[in-house]
Amino acid sequence: MSQNNHHDKEEKKMYNKGEVITGLVLFAVIFAFPFWYNMGKAAPVPEPVLTEQAKAAKECIKPKALMKTDHMQILNDWRNSVARDRNRIYVNSSNKEFDMSLSNNCLDCHSNKAEFCDKCHTYASVSPYCWDCHIDKPKEK
Amino acid sequence: MENSRRTFLKIAGISALGLSAKPVLDAFALDIDMLNKKINAAPKNGALTAKRWGMVIDTRKLETEEALKPMIEVCHKIHNVPVHENKRHEIKWIWEEGFKHAFPDLEHEYVNERVEHLPFLVLCNHCKDAPCVRACPTKATFKQADGIVAMDFHRCIGCRFCMAACPYGSRSFNFRDPRPFIAEINKKYPTRMRGVVEKCNFCSERLDEGLQPACVEASNGALVFGDLENPESEVRQLLKTNYTIRRKVALGTGPSVYYIV
Amino acid sequence: MLELALKGSKRYYGWIAGLLAVIGVGFGCYLWQLSFGLGITGMSRDVSWGFYIAQFTFLVGVAASAVMLVLPYYLHHYKAFGRITILGEFLAVSSVTMCVLFIVVDLGQPMRLLNVMLYPTPNSVLFWDMIVLNGYLFLNIIIGWQVLQGERNGVAPPKWVKTLIYISIPWAVSIHTVTAFLYCGLPGRGFWLTAILAPRFLASAFAAGPAFLILLCLLVRKLTKFDPGKEQIQTLAKIVTYGIILNVFFFLCEVFVVFYSKIPEHMDHMIYLFKGLHGHGVLVPWMWTSIALMVFSIILLVNPFTRQKEGILLVACLCVFFGTWIDKGLGMISGGFVPSPLHYVNEYVPTAPEIAITIGVYATGFLVLTLLFKIATSVKEELEGV
């Protein structure tokens, strides 16, 4: 551990200079892989498409901006409420009631899953596994 | 002076650790918030409620396998229960058993001929003191306020401790993706994914809609469902006037499914 | 000290490359299992735990056995063991690593593993098993590393290490007790529903673990310039002797209770394992082999003349190891599930990919073991100036 203490200050030099620097450069290149690999390939941010039904409803259960940022959190709360407490009715801030059901309610209005959900999820490179169990098309349209 | 490299590395290491710990801690803090937050929610209007749901099966009205079929079929159909050709992967919520399998501790060589050949309908007993609930390490299987032993498929890690714990063989595991093995999917109800355990839920989704369990509805009165803790309920009346048996009572699990033989 | 693991002979690197290849095959099969589900294994609705959980159970025992070196050395000041406690601790580290991996490969949804900590459930024995196993892993890593480093630098390890060592002694007992509690607290499983399960697990652990350690000591002596010592090996041999005798004794207690009481729920599993039930009995030859190996090893071990000959001791230790491995790694888990609670006899046989994954996990454990033993023996060689 402290074998090197007898060295004089003048003797200070870098050992294995070649390997160390090559290693550092390699590390930096590999570490930055996601950046240079995707350089110049940035796709435009997709906008979720609304169905006629969704447009007509004007407002979702919460303001649009909040739905954009917090829908995953809301769905999480919903699933805990339904699956555990069996409280299936959600009351929003304007006292409107909603059936907390991804397939039977959310996707009733947003029946265009590919355009509404998948597009953004693909862009953001997230793959929620909701659809492994929940049916994505409650009604044939 | 020679030590400065060491000190530098130490400080660099600790800083790196600190920097990387921050987002992890944030994520945990978020998760904890998520777990504790209660949203403004309520049960559905007209939902059927009870202190402890129970079922009485009148085997006098179910003498043949044919008689059991509609109940089994409707349950498996509405809950998207797959039919696997490989018996190892079999999934069932409610099914038919012979007396010696349903009641191995009551079986003997001179058992009455009718009972010996009688098909028994078996399902999760929604035990009062359920061993599966005790065993589950994540509360993915848990007891609801109305006595139903429920599954939270989102939380199940697939350790199958509950299957080892259940003395009634009521639990099935999704050894593979069930979807290709569901003939016709009921779009109102989710399927499961591979790697989670499932079982009968006493049709809690129907109770919440104000409906009786599907098997009870299809039984022409042979199955009666009600509140075991309400002395006025139909199940209690039946229990009062008929001698009933339950499966493996000696284990102390307190099954909520009773059989009139 | 880590750098010591990098300096080795061609043979050493060849062995590591071989292990990595085996791990690669196992990992490939695991990726297949991840995408298909546990359906690629031989497990079923009736036998819902199989080879993975059985190996886990066996290896918890091997891990716990480190205490058989630590306890005589630190509590009874049996100085001779000071030389090899590190080998026991590092064996524990690699065994617990395998245990954890076996649990992970057995999960249907491994990515949700953290749910066990996010939703802590003290009424579940599995929750406690997670705590004791991880605790034991860290205890042994920290203790082993500190003691070895102190030894290398010629200084005593920090004082707090002593506290951890004392904690590690009951902790070792706890890991196998809690693992037994996974099984013996389940109401419908007559085979496991016995208070002697935890003691029996511990007895077989204190036979299998030290037996394996003797084999490792003999190997270390052959492959390195560090000699773990004749006295050390002989004392371990006595521990193995007591362990295996107790294990067989506890098993016979079980046999008496089961067959004298004649309660079918308890008896049927034994009959299935040793005679076959309703024409099914894949495990019958294995179980009798296990008994034969254990009895034969007792004959070799009890007699001091045979025990003291290292060649014979080696044979005896192999018998102990494989005898207890069959007992716990094959019979213990399947035996509890057959017949099923509804009294069906559906047997379990592991599939090829399941065995490949199992071997992959073992290879990972042996890789950890190799690296740690390389470090430990290199330090010992350094100190003895050979």
Side-chain angles (χ1 to χ4, degrees), chain C residues 107-130:
Chain C
L107 293 180
Q109 286 291 334
M111 51 291 270
R112 295 184 189 160
L113 182 67
L114 283 180
N115 279 0
V116 179
M117 280 177 255
L118 283 172
Y119 309 100
T121 313
N123 50 274
S124 171
V125 184
L126 204 57
F127 168 76
W128 291 106
D129 214 30
M130 184 269 304

mmCIF file of all heavy atoms in Angstrom, chain C residues 107-130:
data_model
loop_
_atom_site.group_PDB
_atom_site.id
_atom_site.type_symbol
_atom_site.label_atom_id
_atom_site.label_comp_id
_atom_site.label_asym_id
_atom_site.label_seq_id
_atom_site.Cartn_x
_atom_site.Cartn_y
_atom_site.Cartn_z
ATOM 1 N N LEU C 107 -38.005 -16.885 -9.910
ATOM 2 C CA LEU C 107 -39.136 -15.956 -9.878
ATOM 3 C C LEU C 107 -39.815 -15.864 -11.246
ATOM 4 O O LEU C 107 -39.153 -15.853 -12.280
ATOM 5 C CB LEU C 107 -38.684 -14.557 -9.461
ATOM 6 C CG LEU C 107 -38.195 -14.394 -8.029
ATOM 7 C CD1 LEU C 107 -37.789 -12.951 -7.784
ATOM 8 C CD2 LEU C 107 -39.265 -14.813 -7.033
ATOM 9 N N GLY C 108 -41.135 -15.750 -11.216
ATOM 10 C CA GLY C 108 -41.866 -15.568 -12.456
ATOM 11 C C GLY C 108 -41.721 -14.156 -12.992
ATOM 12 O O GLY C 108 -41.741 -13.924 -14.192
ATOM 13 N N GLN C 109 -41.581 -13.190 -12.097
ATOM 14 C CA GLN C 109 -41.433 -11.783 -12.479
ATOM 15 C C GLN C 109 -40.220 -11.185 -11.760
ATOM 16 O O GLN C 109 -40.367 -10.384 -10.834
ATOM 17 C CB GLN C 109 -42.706 -11.006 -12.093
ATOM 18 C CG GLN C 109 -43.901 -11.269 -12.975
ATOM 19 C CD GLN C 109 -43.707 -10.708 -14.377
ATOM 20 O OE1 GLN C 109 -42.961 -9.759 -14.572
ATOM 21 N NE2 GLN C 109 -44.342 -11.313 -15.365
ATOM 22 N N PRO C 110 -39.007 -11.571 -12.196
ATOM 23 C CA PRO C 110 -37.818 -11.139 -11.450
ATOM 24 C C PRO C 110 -37.628 -9.623 -11.412
ATOM 25 O O PRO C 110 -37.047 -9.108 -10.461
ATOM 26 C CB PRO C 110 -36.661 -11.816 -12.198
ATOM 27 C CG PRO C 110 -37.213 -12.243 -13.504
ATOM 28 C CD PRO C 110 -38.669 -12.459 -13.313
ATOM 29 N N MET C 111 -38.161 -8.914 -12.416
ATOM 30 C CA MET C 111 -37.957 -7.452 -12.415
ATOM 31 C C MET C 111 -38.751 -6.783 -11.296
ATOM 32 O O MET C 111 -38.535 -5.618 -11.001
ATOM 33 C CB MET C 111 -38.270 -6.826 -13.781
ATOM 34 C CG MET C 111 -39.602 -7.177 -14.376
ATOM 35 S SD MET C 111 -39.663 -8.916 -14.868
ATOM 36 C CE MET C 111 -39.077 -8.819 -16.534
ATOM 37 N N ARG C 112 -39.658 -7.546 -10.671
ATOM 38 C CA ARG C 112 -40.415 -6.966 -9.551
ATOM 39 C C ARG C 112 -39.831 -7.370 -8.203
ATOM 40 O O ARG C 112 -40.474 -7.191 -7.165
ATOM 41 C CB ARG C 112 -41.862 -7.460 -9.612
ATOM 42 C CG ARG C 112 -42.601 -6.973 -10.825
ATOM 43 C CD ARG C 112 -44.035 -7.443 -10.739
ATOM 44 N NE ARG C 112 -44.743 -7.183 -11.974
ATOM 45 C CZ ARG C 112 -45.861 -7.806 -12.323
ATOM 46 N NH1 ARG C 112 -46.365 -8.734 -11.530
ATOM 47 N NH2 ARG C 112 -46.459 -7.525 -13.453
ATOM 48 N N LEU C 113 -38.632 -7.892 -8.229
ATOM 49 C CA LEU C 113 -37.987 -8.396 -7.011
ATOM 50 C C LEU C 113 -38.022 -7.388 -5.862
ATOM 51 O O LEU C 113 -38.247 -7.742 -4.711
ATOM 52 C CB LEU C 113 -36.544 -8.749 -7.356
ATOM 53 C CG LEU C 113 -35.678 -9.331 -6.255
ATOM 54 C CD1 LEU C 113 -36.190 -10.707 -5.882
ATOM 55 C CD2 LEU C 113 -34.245 -9.447 -6.717
ATOM 56 N N LEU C 114 -37.828 -6.115 -6.201
ATOM 57 C CA LEU C 114 -37.741 -5.100 -5.141
ATOM 58 C C LEU C 114 -39.059 -4.913 -4.400
ATOM 59 O O LEU C 114 -39.090 -4.285 -3.340
ATOM 60 C CB LEU C 114 -37.263 -3.768 -5.707
ATOM 61 C CG LEU C 114 -35.762 -3.699 -5.993
ATOM 62 C CD1 LEU C 114 -35.394 -2.343 -6.559
ATOM 63 C CD2 LEU C 114 -34.964 -3.948 -4.720
ATOM 64 N N ASN C 115 -40.155 -5.457 -4.959
ATOM 65 C CA ASN C 115 -41.428 -5.383 -4.238
ATOM 66 C C ASN C 115 -41.317 -5.954 -2.832
ATOM 67 O O ASN C 115 -42.048 -5.553 -1.932
ATOM 68 C CB ASN C 115 -42.517 -6.153 -5.000
ATOM 69 C CG ASN C 115 -43.096 -5.333 -6.136
ATOM 70 O OD1 ASN C 115 -42.683 -4.196 -6.339
ATOM 71 N ND2 ASN C 115 -44.040 -5.885 -6.860
ATOM 72 N N VAL C 116 -40.407 -6.916 -2.660
ATOM 73 C CA VAL C 116 -40.236 -7.520 -1.339
ATOM 74 C C VAL C 116 -39.798 -6.452 -0.329
ATOM 75 O O VAL C 116 -40.159 -6.501 0.840
ATOM 76 C CB VAL C 116 -39.217 -8.679 -1.397
ATOM 77 C CG1 VAL C 116 -39.019 -9.309 -0.028
ATOM 78 C CG2 VAL C 116 -39.670 -9.725 -2.392
ATOM 79 N N MET C 117 -39.027 -5.456 -0.823
ATOM 80 C CA MET C 117 -38.590 -4.393 0.085
ATOM 81 C C MET C 117 -39.543 -3.197 0.072
ATOM 82 O O MET C 117 -39.705 -2.524 1.074
ATOM 83 C CB MET C 117 -37.183 -3.948 -0.284
ATOM 84 C CG MET C 117 -36.144 -4.893 0.262
ATOM 85 S SD MET C 117 -34.500 -4.431 -0.244
ATOM 86 C CE MET C 117 -34.188 -5.653 -1.490
ATOM 87 N N LEU C 118 -40.176 -2.960 -1.083
ATOM 88 C CA LEU C 118 -41.102 -1.826 -1.170
ATOM 89 C C LEU C 118 -42.365 -2.069 -0.353
ATOM 90 O O LEU C 118 -42.999 -1.138 0.129
ATOM 91 C CB LEU C 118 -41.494 -1.583 -2.635
ATOM 92 C CG LEU C 118 -40.442 -0.892 -3.488
ATOM 93 C CD1 LEU C 118 -40.857 -0.892 -4.952
ATOM 94 C CD2 LEU C 118 -40.224 0.535 -3.018
ATOM 95 N N TYR C 119 -42.752 -3.333 -0.248
ATOM 96 C CA TYR C 119 -43.947 -3.675 0.535
ATOM 97 C C TYR C 119 -43.554 -4.696 1.592
ATOM 98 O O TYR C 119 -43.944 -5.855 1.523
ATOM 99 C CB TYR C 119 -45.035 -4.253 -0.376
ATOM 100 C CG TYR C 119 -45.326 -3.393 -1.569
ATOM 101 C CD1 TYR C 119 -44.783 -3.697 -2.813
ATOM 102 C CD2 TYR C 119 -46.132 -2.270 -1.459
ATOM 103 C CE1 TYR C 119 -45.037 -2.907 -3.915
ATOM 104 C CE2 TYR C 119 -46.391 -1.473 -2.558
ATOM 105 C CZ TYR C 119 -45.837 -1.791 -3.781
ATOM 106 O OH TYR C 119 -46.085 -1.004 -4.872
ATOM 107 N N PRO C 120 -42.745 -4.298 2.563
ATOM 108 C CA PRO C 120 -42.249 -5.269 3.535
ATOM 109 C C PRO C 120 -43.387 -5.982 4.254
ATOM 110 O O PRO C 120 -44.341 -5.347 4.705
ATOM 111 C CB PRO C 120 -41.418 -4.419 4.500
ATOM 112 C CG PRO C 120 -41.779 -3.006 4.225
ATOM 113 C CD PRO C 120 -42.286 -2.937 2.836
ATOM 114 N N THR C 121 -43.300 -7.299 4.337
ATOM 115 C CA THR C 121 -44.378 -8.113 4.878
ATOM 116 C C THR C 121 -43.827 -9.062 5.934
ATOM 117 O O THR C 121 -43.412 -10.168 5.624
ATOM 118 C CB THR C 121 -45.024 -8.938 3.739
ATOM 119 O OG1 THR C 121 -45.261 -8.072 2.632
ATOM 120 C CG2 THR C 121 -46.326 -9.566 4.179
ATOM 121 N N PRO C 122 -43.793 -8.611 7.198
ATOM 122 C CA PRO C 122 -43.127 -9.412 8.230
ATOM 123 C C PRO C 122 -43.780 -10.762 8.498
ATOM 124 O O PRO C 122 -43.139 -11.638 9.069
ATOM 125 C CB PRO C 122 -43.212 -8.528 9.480
ATOM 126 C CG PRO C 122 -43.569 -7.171 8.993
ATOM 127 C CD PRO C 122 -44.294 -7.340 7.710
ATOM 128 N N ASN C 123 -45.037 -10.955 8.065
ATOM 129 C CA ASN C 123 -45.643 -12.262 8.312
ATOM 130 C C ASN C 123 -45.206 -13.313 7.297
ATOM 131 O O ASN C 123 -45.520 -14.485 7.430
ATOM 132 C CB ASN C 123 -47.171 -12.163 8.351
ATOM 133 C CG ASN C 123 -47.723 -11.429 7.161
ATOM 134 O OD1 ASN C 123 -47.811 -10.206 7.175
ATOM 135 N ND2 ASN C 123 -48.036 -12.138 6.104
ATOM 136 N N SER C 124 -44.468 -12.879 6.277
ATOM 137 C CA SER C 124 -43.986 -13.843 5.283
ATOM 138 C C SER C 124 -42.571 -14.286 5.613
ATOM 139 O O SER C 124 -41.682 -13.461 5.816
ATOM 140 C CB SER C 124 -44.010 -13.208 3.892
ATOM 141 O OG SER C 124 -43.363 -14.069 2.978
ATOM 142 N N VAL C 125 -42.367 -15.607 5.658
ATOM 143 C CA VAL C 125 -41.032 -16.112 5.990
ATOM 144 C C VAL C 125 -40.036 -15.735 4.887
ATOM 145 O O VAL C 125 -38.855 -15.532 5.148
ATOM 146 C CB VAL C 125 -41.070 -17.639 6.192
ATOM 147 C CG1 VAL C 125 -39.714 -18.141 6.640
ATOM 148 C CG2 VAL C 125 -42.105 -18.022 7.220
ATOM 149 N N LEU C 126 -40.541 -15.626 3.652
ATOM 150 C CA LEU C 126 -39.651 -15.278 2.549
ATOM 151 C C LEU C 126 -39.031 -13.893 2.745
ATOM 152 O O LEU C 126 -37.880 -13.649 2.378
ATOM 153 C CB LEU C 126 -40.422 -15.328 1.229
ATOM 154 C CG LEU C 126 -39.597 -15.552 -0.025
ATOM 155 C CD1 LEU C 126 -38.798 -16.836 0.074
ATOM 156 C CD2 LEU C 126 -40.475 -15.590 -1.248
ATOM 157 N N PHE C 127 -39.817 -12.989 3.339
ATOM 158 C CA PHE C 127 -39.306 -11.652 3.647
ATOM 159 C C PHE C 127 -38.108 -11.753 4.599
ATOM 160 O O PHE C 127 -37.064 -11.150 4.384
ATOM 161 C CB PHE C 127 -40.436 -10.812 4.249
ATOM 162 C CG PHE C 127 -39.982 -9.526 4.879
ATOM 163 C CD1 PHE C 127 -39.624 -8.445 4.102
ATOM 164 C CD2 PHE C 127 -39.913 -9.400 6.263
ATOM 165 C CE1 PHE C 127 -39.201 -7.266 4.687
ATOM 166 C CE2 PHE C 127 -39.501 -8.222 6.854
ATOM 167 C CZ PHE C 127 -39.141 -7.155 6.062
ATOM 168 N N TRP C 128 -38.257 -12.580 5.626
ATOM 169 C CA TRP C 128 -37.164 -12.743 6.595
ATOM 170 C C TRP C 128 -35.977 -13.462 5.968
ATOM 171 O O TRP C 128 -34.825 -13.178 6.283
ATOM 172 C CB TRP C 128 -37.658 -13.505 7.831
ATOM 173 C CG TRP C 128 -38.613 -12.682 8.607
ATOM 174 C CD1 TRP C 128 -39.965 -12.843 8.686
ATOM 175 C CD2 TRP C 128 -38.316 -11.507 9.372
ATOM 176 N NE1 TRP C 128 -40.521 -11.860 9.452
ATOM 177 C CE2 TRP C 128 -39.541 -11.031 9.900
ATOM 178 C CE3 TRP C 128 -37.136 -10.828 9.673
ATOM 179 C CZ2 TRP C 128 -39.608 -9.894 10.692
ATOM 180 C CZ3 TRP C 128 -37.208 -9.691 10.472
ATOM 181 C CH2 TRP C 128 -38.436 -9.241 10.970
ATOM 182 N N ASP C 129 -36.279 -14.393 5.074
ATOM 183 C CA ASP C 129 -35.198 -15.117 4.427
ATOM 184 C C ASP C 129 -34.346 -14.150 3.610
ATOM 185 O O ASP C 129 -33.122 -14.250 3.582
ATOM 186 C CB ASP C 129 -35.769 -16.221 3.525
ATOM 187 C CG ASP C 129 -34.874 -17.443 3.495
ATOM 188 O OD1 ASP C 129 -34.191 -17.687 4.509
ATOM 189 O OD2 ASP C 129 -34.835 -18.135 2.475
ATOM 190 N N MET C 130 -35.028 -13.199 2.944
ATOM 191 C CA MET C 130 -34.311 -12.195 2.170
ATOM 192 C C MET C 130 -33.372 -11.407 3.093
ATOM 193 O O MET C 130 -32.214 -11.179 2.762
ATOM 194 C CB MET C 130 -35.360 -11.290 1.511
ATOM 195 C CG MET C 130 -34.862 -10.235 0.578
ATOM 196 S SD MET C 130 -34.537 -8.660 1.348
ATOM 197 C CE MET C 130 -36.082 -8.223 2.123
#
